[in-house]
Amino acid sequence: MTTWREIRSFSPAVRLLLVNQLGVNTGFYLLIPYLAVHLSRDLGMSAAAVGTVLGVRNLSQQGLFILGGSAADRLGARGVIITGCALRTVGFGLFALGDGTAVLLAASVLSGLAGALFNPAVRAYLAQEAGERKAEAFALFNVFATTGALVGPLLGSALLLVDFRAAALTAAGLFAVLTVAQALMLPAGQAAAPAKESVLSDWREVVGNRAFMAFALAMVAMIALESQLYLLLPEGARRATGWDGAAGPVLVVATLAGLGFQLRITRTLQRRGSRAGWISCGLALMAAAFVPPLLVTSGPGADPGDMPGAALRMLPVLAGALLLQTGLMVAQPFVMELVPGFGRSRLTGTYFGVFYVVSGIAAALGNAAVGWAMDTGARTGAGWLPWVCCAALGLASAAAVARLHRTGALPGAPAPLPARA
């Protein structure tokens, strides 16, 4: 079955959500990667002010995922998705039209809040609509998201030849189109059941679910290591080759692998073995991804003039990027499939919200820790340090998921064998 036939086999609602994610990532990556440069170069803001604006956007999104999840459970995912797209339209429009600190902070809050609303809501809607085919639906979701992450920067770089406002208004216009499309064509989906408990009771139930929280904590490596596609691996490629543009091939290899193999991998693996087993395997592959680059980046930097040598030294870094993306393709769809299974279907959005709060914190702390290891390694001559730390984190998460599976703590996992007398 081709990818196109696989897409057509899902309901119109799922297909619309896939296109929506393509548009969301295109609009996001069209603007956000260039925002810091605009704030500092075009508006003359200090590094501290730029950091504040970007930090407020991240905090507004990562810290409020739980609100978006609860809103999806209580108000219905459809309305929350539409509201999130509308808020991002306004937020990106403010980035285009405003140059004062107050306006930029408001744009950051609105665009971050928008992501906090529609990200868990889209996943909750997709999980409910896909039924028993959650893994395949989330695999396709990743393909469309990856495509948007590839198209967005290319479109943004072209629009920046005009100016930043052209890029920001294009992104805002794209979100406006998505808002209208969801309002006109997205079915209501499953109606939100009347809630007898308070929102705080829902949060206590989810956070008090020990098996779920253990799983969320065990999965911190997935998001933390994925983010190294934008931090450690590009720096490793630059160091290995002496070329400042070496980050480009790293991202292209990872993106093309995701587009070409995500659905095939998911469809093949779901017929064999257990979901938890494949998640552990994926995390182990992500850990292994940091070994090949270690061989060419822990020593002295490369000579930029040695083109043949630079090309050879680039190969282990590209192999690491390919391994990292492969591990992510193996694990992520099954992770998304398992999350709703930890609790009542009425709290699907809240479970996704809490999961992404934990993941967001993990990504922030992981990047800070990797940055510290990179600085320490450069200062002490221990260039291997960040690579070994990432590999150790991936292996620890893989072992943690395997243990949860053995003890029967995961949805669909076999019950633990009784202890022998």
Side-chain angles (χ1 to χ4, degrees):
M1 183 182 291
T2 64
T3 300
W4 178 244
R5 289 177 60 193
E6 187 78 16
I7 294 169
R8 293 184 62 187
S9 69
F10 282 98
S11 67
V14 170
R15 297 200 296 267
L16 182 59
L17 291 178
L18 296 178
V19 174
N20 179 70
Q21 191 61 26
L22 170 65
V24 164
N25 272 21
T26 299
F28 181 86
Y29 287 103
L30 186 159
L31 179 74
I32 294 301
Y34 309 106
L35 180 57
V37 174
H38 167 68
L39 297 177
S40 59
R41 184 189 64 192
D42 300 339
L43 301 185
M45 296 177 66
S46 66
V50 172
T52 299
V53 171
L54 297 180
V56 165
R57 195 207 67 79
N58 285 328
L59 181 63
S60 298
Q61 179 162 321
Q62 304 293 349
L64 298 179
F65 270 132
I66 190 170
L67 293 181
S70 291
D73 290 334
R74 289 175 171 263
L75 305 176
R78 177 182 181 275
V80 177
I81 294 169
I82 295 169
T83 301
C85 285
L87 284 177
R88 186 153 283 180
T89 302
V90 177
F92 281 14
L94 288 177
F95 278 129
L97 303 176
D99 54 10
T101 302
V103 175
L104 292 170
L105 287 174
S108 295
V109 170
L110 288 175
S111 59
L113 176 60
L117 288 175
F118 64 64
N119 277 335
V122 164
R123 285 159 178 80
Y125 194 121
L126 192 65
Q128 293 169 352
E129 186 71 20
E132 297 299 318
R133 301 178 65 195
K134 291 182 181 66
E136 296 167 76
F138 279 110
L140 286 171
F141 190 80
N142 287 348
V143 170
F144 277 76
T146 301
T147 304
L150 176 64
V151 172
L154 297 176
L155 182 57
S157 62
L159 289 168
L160 285 173
L161 296 176
V162 181
D163 62 13
F164 177 83
R165 283 182 170 80
L169 287 174
T170 300
L174 181 55
F175 276 100
V177 171
L178 292 175
T179 302
V180 174
Q182 308 303 321
L184 294 179
M185 295 185 286
L186 187 64
Q190 297 182 16
K196 298 179 181 179
E197 304 87 357
S198 66
V199 172
L200 289 178
S201 296
D202 290 347
W203 293 357
R204 282 196 296 268
E205 178 179 336
V206 174
V207 175
N209 186 328
R210 294 184 179 180
F212 168 71
M213 293 304 296
F215 178 70
L217 291 172
M219 290 308 307
V220 297
M222 187 178 76
I223 304 299
L225 296 186
E226 179 188 8
S227 65
Q228 301 317 308
L229 279 170
Y230 307 97
L231 178 62
L232 183 56
L233 281 168
E235 175 59 24
R238 187 199 64 77
R239 184 173 180 80
T241 63
W243 174 37
D244 289 339
V250 170
L251 296 176
V252 168
V253 164
T255 301
L256 293 179
L259 293 177
F261 299 106
Q262 174 67 85
L263 185 59
R264 297 179 187 179
I265 288 174
T266 301
R267 289 177 57 214
T268 299
L269 297 183
Q270 67 181 352
R271 304 189 192 107
R272 303 173 176 86
S274 67
R275 303 303 198 249
W278 290 124
I279 293 171
S280 293
C281 179
L283 290 168
L285 283 174
M286 294 179 78
F290 296 91
V291 176
L294 169 64
L295 304 177
V296 294
T297 60
S298 57
D303 178 7
D306 181 15
M307 295 300 292
L312 287 175
R313 290 167 65 87
M314 185 69 170
L315 292 178
V317 183
L318 295 179
L322 184 58
L323 274 174
L324 186 63
Q325 185 66 31
T326 301
L328 189 66
M329 288 189 289
V330 169
Q332 193 172 54
F334 298 127
V335 172
M336 296 295 99
E337 183 184 31
L338 282 185
V339 167
F342 279 97
R344 295 181 290 153
S345 60
R346 193 186 71 77
L347 295 181
T348 295
T350 305
Y351 273 96
F352 274 115
V354 172
F355 183 84
Y356 276 100
V357 168
V358 174
S359 297
I361 295 171
L365 294 178
N367 278 337
V370 170
W372 171 85
M374 292 168 68
D375 291 340
T376 302
R379 187 175 63 253
T380 63
W384 50 265
L385 183 61
W387 305 95
V388 171
C389 289
C390 287
L393 178 60
L395 290 176
S397 278
V401 173
R403 177 174 175 78
L404 289 173
H405 179 58
R406 286 196 305 270
T407 58
L410 302 182
L417 296 174
R420 293 183 180 181

